[in-house]
Amino acid sequence: MIHKQRLFTPGPTPLHPAVQEAMGKPILHHRTDEFRAVFAQSIAGLKAFLKTSEDVLILAASGTGGMEAALVNVLSPGERMLALVAGNFGERWASIGRAYGMAVQELRAKWGEAVSPDETARALDADPGIRAVFVQLSESSTGAAHDIQALARVTRARPDTLLVVDAISGAGAMPLDTQAWGVDVVVVGSQKALALPPGLAFVSVGARARARIESSKSPRFYFDLRRELKAQAGGEAAFTPAISNVLALRAALAAVEAAGGVDALVHNAATLAGMTRKAAEALGLPLVAPRDHGDALTALYAPPGLETGAIVKALKSEFGSTVAGGQGELKGKIMRFAHLGYYDATDILGVLATLEIVLRRLGHRFDLGRGLAAAEEEYVRRVSR
């Protein structure tokens, strides 16, 4: 049997063909007018992608590097921060804060749920000294989504409290109107909805955040965003950028625009997520985030009596499909199917069909085609010609 390898993880995601082509082009020198034009075009595209006219920076780093850069530049050591923890990546905000000597408070939700804006407002009222709130748009360890628009209303009402959003897996898969909502800082990673390789992080900086960056007393060198803001205004990074990745970024952003822009990308993810959830319901696979789910991915428990690890291994060994397992306290307990980026309905229908075969072979009793039919009905419902 021929086994094509297919990636269904929420990062890295499959590369867009335009990205693959761009990655193969001869490398440019980064201190030339030719590359400065590429860099400036990429920043302009990122502003459209994030729906902001304010600063967006390109960093040669992973998404976690972008998170660290955001935190260390808007806080000074010892300042109070609030981490909204609804999963593994919310815990990462808290860990970065402690590593830099911040006074970290946590507001926790059960894994699979989101921290509510009302709870956040009460926590800020109880401690007016909190200087920034850190949160995920998409908590990709569980599939849960936070209401960023409502959280931004909470923080904008407090002049000394910023909102910093990890949208690494959420941007391009879920609605995010950075400037209109009043989000101070957004962090994005390249290997998610933009269908790029890992290696770049993008950080949007609003006016309130820019003022805080200038006054921060945190030690920083490579991640000094004051230096990057100055350098990137002239079309250059402060240090050697990931040149080929930036060329690919420009190609990826052009592909997004050609396909209808970021709103079309978000709509696509929502369609695929809806199809997957209808199939899961038909097959008796419980959602990890039944109430607060986002559309970047779908996280599922196995049906009673089956282990998710066996399902994940069988999908890989027989069909070449790599889906993600669980992280943190959900390690070995769930499976996660991605919808962000360069996926279409045929991809999702294919992985759902093979999932049915795997479930049947592992002993789950149902009529073959039940989940697939539910997904097809949802596609037809959502997509009119």
Side-chain angles (χ1 to χ4, degrees):
M1 295 289 291
I2 296 173
H3 288 159
K4 291 179 67 175
Q5 298 300 309
R6 294 177 171 87
L7 194 60
F8 290 97
T9 60
T13 62
L15 301 182
H16 193 285
V19 166
Q20 294 177 319
E21 181 182 358
M23 293 290 290
K25 291 183 177 180
I27 197 164
L28 302 176
H29 192 275
H30 56 293
R31 305 300 186 200
T32 62
D33 288 341
E34 184 179 6
F35 184 75
R36 290 186 192 100
V38 173
F39 202 86
Q41 290 160 9
S42 297
I43 289 177
L46 286 169
K47 289 182 179 182
F49 183 75
L50 293 174
K51 296 191 175 183
T52 182
S53 63
E54 298 183 301
D55 293 301
V56 179
L57 300 174
I58 300 172
L59 305 178
S62 67
T64 301
M67 293 171 71
E68 182 168 331
L71 188 148
V72 75
N73 277 272
V74 301
L75 294 176
S76 297
E79 288 190 328
R80 305 187 68 77
M81 59 171 277
L82 180 64
L84 307 189
V85 180
N88 189 60
F89 294 99
E91 290 181 345
R92 186 164 298 180
W93 276 132
S95 296
I96 296 170
R98 292 189 183 100
Y100 278 95
M102 308 307 171
V104 179
Q105 285 195 35
E106 296 181 9
L107 191 56
R108 287 185 166 263
K110 180 181 176 182
W111 284 43
E113 298 178 0
V115 180
S116 78
D118 288 343
E119 290 178 281
T120 305
R122 287 192 291 271
L124 295 176
D125 287 341
D127 188 351
I130 291 172
R131 298 276 280 163
V133 175
F134 296 83
V135 65
Q136 275 66 39
L137 168 56
S138 168
E139 176 48 78
S140 55
S141 64
T142 69
H146 283 99
D147 187 342
I148 299 303
Q149 186 174 12
L151 287 168
R153 285 196 293 266
V154 170
T155 54
R156 296 300 286 192
R158 295 161 172 82
D160 294 326
T161 306
L162 301 182
L163 179 63
V164 181
V165 176
D166 161 9
I168 293 170
S169 65
M174 294 156 57
L176 175 61
D177 202 334
T178 301
Q179 189 167 3
W181 291 356
V183 182
D184 297 295
V185 180
V186 173
V187 180
V188 182
S190 57
Q191 74 277 21
K192 306 288 184 172
L194 284 170
L196 290 156
L200 295 178
F202 317 118
V203 182
S204 77
V205 179
R208 298 202 310 166
R210 182 155 187 161
R212 187 74 66 80
I213 288 167
E214 295 296 335
S215 64
S216 170
K217 301 298 190 294
S218 291
R220 45 205 156 138
F221 183 78
Y222 183 76
F223 284 138
D224 188 344
L225 297 189
R226 295 168 300 187
R227 182 188 289 118
E228 290 296 345
L229 284 163
K230 182 177 179 180
Q232 295 195 24
E236 295 187 358
F239 304 103
T240 304
I243 296 168
S244 295
N245 292 53
V246 175
L247 287 168
L249 169 62
R250 181 178 64 172
L253 290 164
V256 169
E257 282 305 303
V262 67
D263 288 342
L265 197 60
V266 169
H267 177 74
N268 182 68
T271 299
L272 305 185
M275 293 167 63
T276 305
R277 289 181 189 122
K278 285 296 184 181
E281 180 183 2
L283 295 171
L285 306 177
L287 294 173
V288 177
R291 185 185 64 187
D292 297 317
H293 63 74
D295 291 334
L297 68 144
T298 297
L300 301 170
Y301 291 106
L306 271 64
E307 295 182 356
T308 55
I311 299 170
V312 170
K313 288 179 181 178
L315 284 169
K316 175 70 171 177
S317 63
E318 183 166 1
F319 297 107
S321 294
T322 302
V323 302
Q327 298 175 309
E329 66 182 56
L330 292 177
K331 187 176 179 63
K333 299 178 181 179
I334 67 170
M335 50 191 166
R336 297 176 294 145
F337 296 81
H339 312 306
L340 67 166
Y342 190 56
Y343 294 106
D344 63 13
T346 302
D347 292 321
I348 296 302
L349 291 171
V351 76
L352 290 174
T354 56
L355 175 62
E356 287 197 1
I357 294 171
V358 167
L359 291 172
R360 171 67 75 85
R361 288 188 173 168
L362 292 174
H364 188 42
R365 309 315 303 171
F366 62 96
D367 294 330
L368 283 173
R370 179 188 297 173
L372 203 56
E376 291 170 347
E377 289 286 356
E378 182 66 8
Y379 177 84
V380 170
R381 187 187 73 80
R382 286 174 175 256
V383 181
S384 59
R385 296 195 62 82

